[in-house]
Amino acid sequence: MTKAPEKAPHRVTLEDVARRAQTSSITVSRALRRPEMVSEKLRARIAEAVTELGYVPDPAASALASRRSNVIGVLIPSVTNSVFADVLAGLYDTIAGQPFNAQLGNTRYAPGIEDALIRVFLGQRPAGLIVTGVDQSPVSRALLEAADCPIVQIMDLGNAPIDMMVGFSHRDAARTATEHLIARGYSCPAFIGARMDPRSERRLQGFRDALAAAGITEGARVVTTTTPSSVALGETLLAQLLAQAPETDAILCNNDDLALGVQFAALRRGIAIGPELGLCGFNDLEVMAAAHPSITSVRTFRREMGKLAIEMLLARIEGRDPDAKVRDLGYALMPRDSTRRDRA
Amino acid sequence: MTKAPEKAPHRVTLEDVARRAQTSSITVSRALRRPEMVSEKLRARIAEAVTELGYVPDPAASALASRRSNVIGVLIPSVTNSVFADVLAGLYDTIAGQPFNAQLGNTRYAPGIEDALIRVFLGQRPAGLIVTGVDQSPVSRALLEAADCPIVQIMDLGNAPIDMMVGFSHRDAARTATEHLIARGYSCPAFIGARMDPRSERRLQGFRDALAAAGITEGARVVTTTTPSSVALGETLLAQLLAQAPETDAILCNNDDLALGVQFAALRRGIAIGPELGLCGFNDLEVMAAAHPSITSVRTFRREMGKLAIEMLLARIEGRDPDAKVRDLGYALMPRDSTRRDRA
DNA sequence: TCGCCGAATGACAGCGCTATCATTAGTTGA
DNA sequence: TCAACTAATGATAGCGCTGTCATTCGGCGA
């Protein structure tokens, strides 16, 4: 069987349904979109006809006529990063059953691509837009501000929301984690970070805040790179860190992959995670609690972020006002064995 | 600034561009879609007008008029599973720059949802469709066979492709992994599997093939569950396995999360991974090589699968024939320390 | 010189739906 | 009883683009 250029099968239209239900196409359209405007009897007849004919609406025609598509555009910088995968999971769970379609755009951490994608999305007259972070390029920002659909910025917080916002303070979260290290008795905490995007930069800032507040000098205990994060990179960065700052007795990683890599590398080097080297990740992926030793991390509420972003959009699309334009989801420090100096 | 119900700004249409370039809208349309049909001079004028006016085509109008959208529908059973995230990464990388849009549908391992999503996607007159696996419901299969767009089934192989296929043999892969365990001297290999979908069932089959070929009896050394996979679940399943089959000296896990969980649990119990307990994962996520001890796994080519799926669709959309309708990407056993009995 | 041809361009209709306004039927109060 | 309303339904005109067919025009062979 060859499939590509077959003749197009007849498409079941509103007209067909109308004929079958002995009414007009516009009434069928109404029965589907605003059922309360159509009498119960007619509605039942129409419902039957829809089922019998297997009518499926054509979103293109609908979008064209109503000047509004059912697309919710979602711009994220990476599809593989499990942090975004979690956000997407929450997002897809919430959108399922709604008459909207999420459409993903992968900006690959590149402002140029983001600008282009925003243009493309806006060309679709989307029902709503979700964008990552608060550090859009001036071009992107201008486009978004002129857009006539609700917009949610996710993953971060900032002073000037384009429209709505749901995230948490990366800076506060990292400061809290660092304070935890200090409170646990580590006196020379270090920071390692891969893929230093704006959010990671804020985490580094939080780390520095805590050091400054505790009167600890940073020394050479910060190692960062723009290389994408991976578990293997954790080992590399650890080596680099210990070479340039051997006094290090604790590490805050800007994500959990790195922390896991550091843990494996420490095991390999015979360094006891906890007693000799404190270790804290970021995001609290599932593996952190299951690891041995279990790894301290800062939990972030990624699924909730996806869920809330959709809910805020839906509220606005339906004309309701969301509970608040800016939602701070916070974070939760999850202390585990990797920051216990007294571990067996 | 409130955004939702602002007046719609004027949209730049082909007509506007045509006026500016002193030509007709249909010629502008052609200049954009089939540049070779328009004289070079006019093309330049049109290009200039497009830029100056910031024209962005309306995909809805295009879809309606041409009876063909630029949507490539992608049905996957899970958005969080990093295996699919990798496939998606390959897919998005390949589709970027092409005039097509991937649209994700999450079937959540439920045939009913899959049927519904296929109907919705087909209602959009997609340019192509990508579906996961070869075990569609009869309803889904009928819908897909009647569809008038190219279709690729990914992640698995089977005898009756709906149209095209790109995957590998889960059964062979698991058999190879099991043979490796046996060859390494483990005499009582076990299988643990979470989220036993059809592909995992075939892996289990491959495990059994190898045992049978080696004359080893399976005993009680198979533990499976339909619970979604996680690292933590690895510990649970290990406990269950060792309780019901203490003779076990090696484990094939149906995915890497589980293997990692087993490794952590073994560490916790003081079982030496390698000498005392052989361990093999499946998929070869990045963490497997970085783990300590490094974990043997079966590498699968997930990004390539996404890439190839798109390429096959593009070939057909453009009227070319793909190199082959069914592509077997194979797999690669990656032997590591977790299956070395002589490890230090 | 004329007719023919292909390349380049254009006119026109219509894709399937919805916004808008018009019409009809049914209800109410004075 | 009838104007004045509301609820329910319908007619009409596009939305912005592309498929199809028509037209124009310069070049070229006979």
Side-chain angles (χ1 to χ4, degrees), chain B residues 219-236:
Chain B
R221 296 194 305 281
V222 169
V223 178
T224 64
T225 166
T226 52
T227 309
S229 181
S230 69
V231 179
L233 187 60
E235 172 148 24
T236 311

Side-chain angles (χ1 to χ4, degrees), chain B residues 13-14 26 29 33 55 61 65:
Chain B
T13 67
L14 279 182
I26 182 63
S29 172
R33 290 178 302 141
Y55 170 75

Side-chain angles (χ1 to χ4, degrees), chain A residues 118-133:
Chain A
I118 288 175
R119 252 184 266 269
V120 169
F121 276 151
L122 289 179
Q124 302 197 41
R125 311 168 182 281
L129 235 37
I130 295 176
V131 298
T132 300

Side-chain angles (χ1 to χ4, degrees), chain A residues 85-163:
Chain A
D86 288 337
V87 175
L88 288 183
L91 192 151
Y92 278 105
D93 282 354
T94 313
I95 211 172
Q98 300 292 142
F100 295 99
N101 246 309
Q103 188 149 328
L104 228 58
N106 183 358
T107 66
R108 297 133 150 252
Y109 292 96
I113 298 182
E114 181 165 46
D115 295 349
L117 282 173
I118 288 175
R119 252 184 266 269
V120 169
F121 276 151
L122 289 179
Q124 302 197 41
R125 311 168 182 281
L129 235 37
I130 295 176
V131 298
T132 300
V134 300
D135 305 276
Q136 282 74 32
S137 76
V139 172
S140 287
R141 195 161 172 111
L143 286 169
L144 292 173
E145 281 177 344
D148 73 331
C149 68
I151 296 171
V152 186
Q153 291 166 288
I154 62 170
M155 299 301 291
D156 203 351
L157 294 177
N159 293 324
I162 293 172
D163 182 13

Side-chain angles (χ1 to χ4, degrees), chain A residues 14 29 33 55 65:
Chain A
L14 279 182
S29 172
R33 290 177 303 139
Y55 170 75

Side-chain angles (χ1 to χ4, degrees), chain B residues 3-343:
Chain B
K3 312 211 56 160
E6 271 166 29
K7 71 137 194 11
H10 171 64
R11 183 182 179 101
V12 179
T13 67
L14 279 182
E15 203 65 53
D16 299 324
V17 177
R19 208 165 11 246
R20 178 106 176 194
Q22 299 176 72
T23 176
S24 67
S25 60
I26 182 63
T27 302
V28 176
S29 172
R30 268 196 290 256
L32 297 174
R33 290 178 302 141
R34 320 269 304 274
E36 73 282 2
M37 292 185 69
V38 174
S39 71
E40 201 167 330
K41 239 180 65 187
L42 227 194
R43 220 159 60 210
R45 263 205 338 266
I46 289 174
E48 193 184 0
V50 163
T51 316
E52 284 174 355
L53 297 177
Y55 170 75
V56 178
D58 183 330
S62 168
L64 187 57
S66 66
R67 260 145 277 168
R68 181 59 63 207
S69 78
N70 71 343
V71 167
I72 291 184
V74 183
L75 291 179
I76 56 172
S78 158
V79 263
T80 27
N81 188 324
S82 61
V83 167
F84 293 108
D86 288 337
V87 176
L88 288 183
L91 193 152
Y92 277 105
D93 282 354
T94 313
I95 211 172
Q98 301 293 142
F100 294 99
N101 245 310
Q103 188 148 328
L104 229 59
N106 184 358
T107 65
R108 298 134 150 250
Y109 293 97
I113 298 182
E114 181 165 46
D115 295 349
L117 282 173
I118 288 175
R119 253 184 265 269
V120 170
F121 276 151
L122 289 179
Q124 300 197 42
R125 312 169 181 279
L129 235 37
I130 294 176
V131 299
T132 300
V134 300
D135 306 275
Q136 282 74 32
S137 76
V139 173
S140 287
R141 196 163 170 108
L143 286 170
L144 293 173
E145 281 177 344
D148 74 330
C149 68
I151 296 171
V152 186
Q153 290 166 289
I154 61 170
M155 299 301 291
D156 202 351
L157 294 177
N159 294 323
I162 293 172
D163 182 12
M164 297 179 284
M165 217 174 229
V166 47
F168 64 96
S169 167
H170 292 255
R171 185 165 176 173
D172 291 353
R175 187 194 299 128
T176 300
T178 312
E179 285 165 357
H180 166 73
L181 292 177
I182 295 167
R184 282 289 172 95
Y186 299 104
S187 55
C188 298
F191 180 96
I192 68 179
R195 174 82 82 190
M196 291 300 287
D197 63 13
R199 288 169 294 286
S200 289
E201 290 295 350
R202 283 192 261 283
R203 291 178 201 165
L204 174 52
Q205 193 51 247
F207 169 78
R208 289 186 163 132
D209 291 347
L211 289 206
I216 298 174
T217 51
E218 179 182 311
R221 296 194 305 281
V222 169
V223 178
T224 64
T225 166
T226 52
T227 309
S229 181
S230 69
V231 179
L233 187 60
E235 172 148 24
T236 311
L237 295 184
L238 174 65
Q240 194 176 329
L241 173 66
L242 293 183
Q244 71 188 47
E247 78 280 11
T248 299
D249 63 356
I251 302 179
L252 173 62
C253 301
N254 83 330
N255 66 52
D256 287 342
D257 284 349
L258 241 39
L260 199 56
V262 166
Q263 165 141 306
F264 286 133
L267 256 172
R268 216 164 261 134
R269 289 163 172 248
I271 300 172
I273 289 292
E276 289 180 64
L277 184 68
L279 179 63
C280 181
F282 202 100
N283 279 320
D284 198 31
L285 300 187
E286 191 254 335
V287 65
M288 303 309 272
H292 182 75
S294 59
I295 306 176
T296 298
S297 194
V298 180
R299 177 168 296 178
T300 57
F301 302 96
R302 304 179 295 285
R303 291 186 81 106
E304 289 75 6
M305 220 173 296
K307 177 167 189 265
L308 209 49
I310 293 292
E311 285 175 352
M312 290 166 92
L313 285 181
L314 291 179
R316 280 283 282 287
I317 290 167
E318 291 164 9
R320 291 176 287 125
D321 253 352
D323 299 344
K325 291 199 121 197
V326 177
R327 296 286 297 270
D328 182 350
L329 254 37
Y331 53 88
L333 182 73
M334 308 297 289
R336 301 207 179 90
D337 290 349
S338 72
T339 48
R340 290 183 52 190
R341 309 193 68 192
D342 59 347
R343 228 167 51 80

